[in-house]
Amino acid sequence: MSSSTSSSEIAGFVAALALSLLALGALLGQLAGLVEYDTAKIDAMMALSGKDNDIVVVGNSVTAQSYNSQIVDDSLGTHSYNLATGRQSFVESELILQHYLKRNDRPRLLLVGIYVNATLDLLSMNPNVYRRLPGDLQRRYRQRSALLARPVDPSWCVFNLLGAYRHRTAIEATAKVLIGGTSRLPRDIRGHIAIEYSPSSLPPPRARNSRLDEYGLRSLLDTASLAGLSVILFEPPNEHGQSERTAGREETLSQLDMLVRDHPAVLGFRSFNDEASLAYAPGDWSAPNHLSARGARRFSEVQIASWVGEHLRELELCHR
């Protein structure tokens, strides 16, 4: 075999592989939009433009599944959008907020959902969010990573350009839907992820460790303050007994209380895992510490809407 023939065969193979990866990436992307709540939601929320929402919400999946924007809006006569996504870190929340503010009107209130009963990755970043950030915000993420001595691996940026890699978990998600039925498919309600599915029982709460990324949270709050936003912090509901099985919880709550006292942008903090919180039935959960659509409807209508309303009235009095 001549070298010229060998080179042409290699070039043909590489071209065929590239086309196959592109086709597979497009296919998996379409599939992910159907079965993975984060994919379709991120596409929608990062494309928001010219919106005039009164309230925006950031946080991880616990917040995404608990704050039902439509129910809160119906109760308060407001417009809100839930920007929370799975595993969202405070730095990711900050960049999502900055992206939102570049393209939309400034909201009256920012809600930050905090998963107190967990230790979250300080630099967690969904590749679909990163891909949709403008260049200056992508650089800011890389700079933050370098500052915390965890520089972004260039291969992460390169691989996540490939849809086949970025949407690789769609296959597992599809299998779960095929086995468990379409009740597992989520609905996006102004950014709230509503999952009707609820298992017959949940495993008992497991031991966890709580540690607050205070640096990341303060940076998010500083960004909100510079934009002229008022902020309230809240802990979404967790399963009964989870707080008692979480080491370091009291220290985290003390840190949050201190933030409320000393940060000018923060109006208050409320844990919805205290004695005054609702008691949730098994059907109110879709997974450990994640409310089902039914549970989120109860939480939003009975508890968080009135609490948010109190802070909105407080803001109106301050601005008179």
Side-chain angles (χ1 to χ4, degrees):
M1 181 182 292
S2 67
S3 60
S4 61
T5 302
S6 178
S7 297
S8 64
E9 288 178 346
I10 292 173
F13 175 80
V14 170
L17 179 61
L19 290 173
S20 298
L21 286 174
L22 287 173
L24 180 60
L27 178 63
L28 289 178
Q30 292 292 322
L31 194 60
L34 296 174
V35 299
E36 290 191 313
Y37 76 82
D38 264 357
T39 300
K41 172 180 175 169
I42 288 169
D43 288 346
M45 77 181 198
M46 299 300 279
L48 291 174
S49 181
K51 299 300 181 182
D52 184 21
N53 286 303
D54 302 290
I55 304 164
V56 293
V57 186
V58 294
N60 70 356
S61 57
V62 175
T63 299
Q65 289 185 216
S66 64
Y67 184 96
N68 185 317
S69 310
Q70 181 174 333
I71 287 180
V72 172
D73 291 345
D74 289 347
S75 175
L76 300 179
T78 53
H79 295 282
S80 64
Y81 200 92
N82 191 332
L83 298 171
T85 56
R87 301 180 182 273
Q88 190 177 112
S89 60
F90 290 134
V91 65
E92 188 174 4
S93 297
E94 181 180 350
L95 295 171
I96 287 172
L97 176 63
Q98 289 175 316
H99 176 74
Y100 178 89
L101 292 174
K102 282 174 178 278
R103 299 167 55 90
N104 301 278
D105 293 341
R106 185 182 69 186
R108 296 161 63 193
L109 192 62
L110 170 68
L111 271 65
V112 180
I114 301 175
Y115 193 6
V116 174
N117 290 327
T119 298
L120 304 179
D121 188 339
L122 306 185
L123 292 168
S124 177
M125 170 63 72
N126 187 297
N128 288 312
V129 170
Y130 181 85
R131 183 175 64 94
R132 289 183 172 275
L133 291 173
D136 62 323
L137 295 183
Q138 289 183 349
R139 284 193 300 274
R140 196 164 300 172
Y141 174 68
R142 295 195 298 270
Q143 290 166 355
R144 177 74 64 84
S145 299
L147 181 65
L148 296 177
R150 285 178 51 188
V152 175
D153 189 332
S155 65
W156 183 84
C157 300
V158 172
F159 277 120
N160 282 304
L161 292 174
L162 301 174
Y165 179 83
R166 200 167 57 248
H167 300 302
R168 62 194 183 280
T169 57
I171 297 174
E172 180 184 355
T174 301
K176 289 181 178 179
V177 170
L178 292 175
I179 294 170
T182 56
S183 63
R184 292 176 182 263
L185 290 174
R187 290 183 297 122
D188 184 337
I189 304 174
R190 302 179 199 169
H192 162 58
I193 299 304
I195 299 179
E196 298 292 346
Y197 167 78
S198 182
S200 57
S201 63
L202 291 174
R206 62 183 180 87
R208 293 174 178 267
N209 293 303
S210 176
R211 188 178 68 212
L212 181 69
D213 174 18
E214 187 171 352
Y215 175 83
L217 179 54
R218 282 188 178 274
S219 182
L220 168 61
L221 296 177
D222 289 345
T223 292
S225 182
L226 286 172
L229 297 177
S230 296
V231 184
I232 52 176
L233 314 175
F234 74 101
E235 179 190 16
N238 283 193
E239 291 174 81
H240 178 70
Q242 181 60 74
S243 296
E244 291 76 13
R245 297 220 62 198
T246 302
R249 175 179 171 82
E250 294 306 317
E251 290 83 353
T252 295
L253 292 176
S254 295
Q255 288 176 280
L256 290 169
D257 287 339
M258 183 71 72
L259 275 173
V260 172
R261 289 196 297 270
D262 70 9
H263 200 289
V266 181
L267 301 179
F269 167 72
R270 168 74 197 274
S271 170
F272 289 97
N273 290 296
D274 58 17
E275 293 180 356
S277 296
L278 293 175
Y280 292 93
D284 291 329
W285 302 101
S286 67
N289 300 322
H290 289 70
L291 290 173
S292 65
R294 188 182 84 174
R297 286 192 292 269
R298 291 187 62 215
F299 169 65
S300 299
E301 183 175 9
V302 178
Q303 289 217 290
I304 200 166
S306 59
W307 182 68
V308 170
E310 291 173 7
H311 287 290
L312 286 174
R313 287 189 291 273
E314 178 184 339
L315 286 176
E316 289 171 0
L317 288 173
C318 291
H319 292 162
R320 283 179 180 175

